[in-house]
Amino acid sequence: MKNLSFPGLPRVLVVDDEEGVREGLRTMLQREGVHVETAGSAEDGVRRVEDRSYDVVFLDINLPGADGLSMLGKLRRGSPAADVVILTGYGTVANTVEAMRKGASDVIEKPFSSDRILAVVRRVLETRQLKNELTWLQDRVRELTATELVGLSPAIREVQTRIDQVAHAPDTTVLITGQSGTGKELVARCIHERSARRHGPFVAINCAALTESLLEAELFGYEPGAFTGAQKEGKDGLFAVAAGGTLFLDEIGEMEPSLQAKLLRVLQERSFRRVGGVQDIPADVRIVASTNRDLRQMVQIGRFREDLFYRLNVMTVHVPPLAERAADVPLLSHFFLDQIGRQMGKALSGFTEEAMETLCEYSWPGNVRELRNAIEHACIICPSGMIDEIHLPKFTGGILDGSDQIERAAVVLDAQDRSIRALESQLVARVLDETQWNISKAAAILGINRTTLYNKIRLYDLGKRPMRAKVIV
Ligand SMILES: Nc1ncnc2c1ncn2[C@@H]1O[C@H](COP(=O)(O)OP(=O)(O)OP(=O)(O)O)[C@@H](O)[C@H]1O
Ligand SMILES: [Mg+2]
């Protein structure tokens, strides 16, 4: 038994009127490190299971003066967690079937061998251990995939309300907008999980990650031999895979115009065709699309189809930048500390006042993702106890050190106007956007003084309107 590594000593109760059986089982099991108690009558047995819990109960089904099957019922009710193994005389098969139906874990005929008894106990305990492990794993998976949109600020409450509204219309297309790292994918998952489609799959695809033809094949699937390199037997696309559920089209702004036309067709007809196919297949999916671009502006410069924009723009959820819900920073920090600390198996208890102050003062241009990365960094550095300022990454010029910075460093030009003046106005607008209009920080990043920056804001008439982080090629 010891090799089962069962937490604590396994506890067994033997209910049998024959002393020889009781003592025989006791000796046999105790030798294996099992804690054994015995009861010589039905009443004694029931009293014991009501008093304390057992892992396994051996029950003689032919106890004098007691109906074995109703005894089984009482034991199961008294100690629902225990496995009941029936001990029975030779040839009482009818009883056996009924006993299994009423929840007995196994039946052993008398006389029994010690091997048989030990095998049964071992199996019962192993099954239990597997069940415990499964429950533990399921809890972890639930934790890891938890779609909890943390936050109590008015801005995030508005998002929550919006999610509930769109969740109630499970076929309506939804467009989620917001800067990078604000939680758009999480919002998409929340919409799925709160909708009537939650029992169906949630399938996400990043439209920027694949070439046009691969994306097309991935979305719609293809017929056998549709193109060179295609699988012989053809393949289902994500519209088919997501049937009954939600299809999340991430970074929809990056989709090529010709594919935009095909997507528009699906939204209009509610059906699609595999690549190389002629048959219309019904599309039973809700489309949730997301973008960190200004689609309206892209429509204006001819980079995004206007008709598709209106099809997508039926219901929108805008996820505000973290700077507009700074009140949520402490709550989110604790949430991530708890989540990441547990994943790393570290005992981290919280943040020092200085650390929390630093987190609250920072402007988070990379939004919630940047905050999560900062907490992960701190969790790695901090050995145990409280996260202090020194465990946090260096925040420089309003921008966190690290990969996010590289991503944001690329300046993309407007195809229509390539004058230096146009480029400068875009650059100034973008840095202002990233620093949440912190004039000192923006001036430092641009390498000019505050007065010059004010002059440029006036010159380019930038005003204090929110801008998108990226400018389109
Ligand atoms: N309100 C929130 N509560 C808890 N976790 C959040 C919240 N918002 C974002 N996150 C977490 O922050 C990370 C970034 O979120 P997500 O990937 O949804 O952002 P995104 O807007 O899709 O970013 P991108 O535009 O870069 O794809 C994820 O780990 C997500 O779980
Ligand atoms: Mg995303």
Side-chain angles (χ1 to χ4, degrees), residues 144 146-151 156 160 176-189 206 248 250-251 290-292 319 322 325 328 332 335-336 339 366-373 407:
L144 289 174
T147 40
E148 198 180 343
L149 192 69
V150 176
I156 205 74
Q160 298 275 19
I176 304 174
T177 60
Q179 290 176 8
S180 186
T182 44
K184 296 185 293 298
E185 179 153 356
L186 190 61
V187 166
R189 285 180 191 276
N206 186 330
F248 176 53
D250 201 2
E251 301 199 36
S290 99
T291 183
N292 56 11
V319 193
L322 184 54
R325 44 186 159 121
D328 287 335
L332 279 163
F335 172 76
F336 291 136
Q339 196 184 48
N367 296 299
V368 186
R369 171 168 303 115
E370 188 180 13
L371 173 60
R372 195 181 189 285
N373 289 348
E407 191 187 315

Side-chain angles (χ1 to χ4, degrees), residues 101-143:
R101 219 177 53 78
K102 289 215 153 131
S105 301
D106 210 334
V107 175
I108 297 181
E109 270 183 22
K110 293 179 188 172
F112 42 76
S113 68
S114 89
D115 281 354
R116 173 88 172 102
I117 293 287
L118 293 179
V120 167
V121 175
R122 196 165 280 139
R123 188 183 47 72
V124 165
L125 296 184
E126 266 169 0
T127 311
R128 253 152 190 265
Q129 194 177 3
L130 282 178
K131 264 193 214 149
N132 286 346
E133 280 171 10
L134 185 66
T135 319
W136 186 87
L137 281 174
Q138 281 169 336
D139 286 350
R140 295 294 83 72
V141 168
R142 209 165 296 132
E143 258 167 39

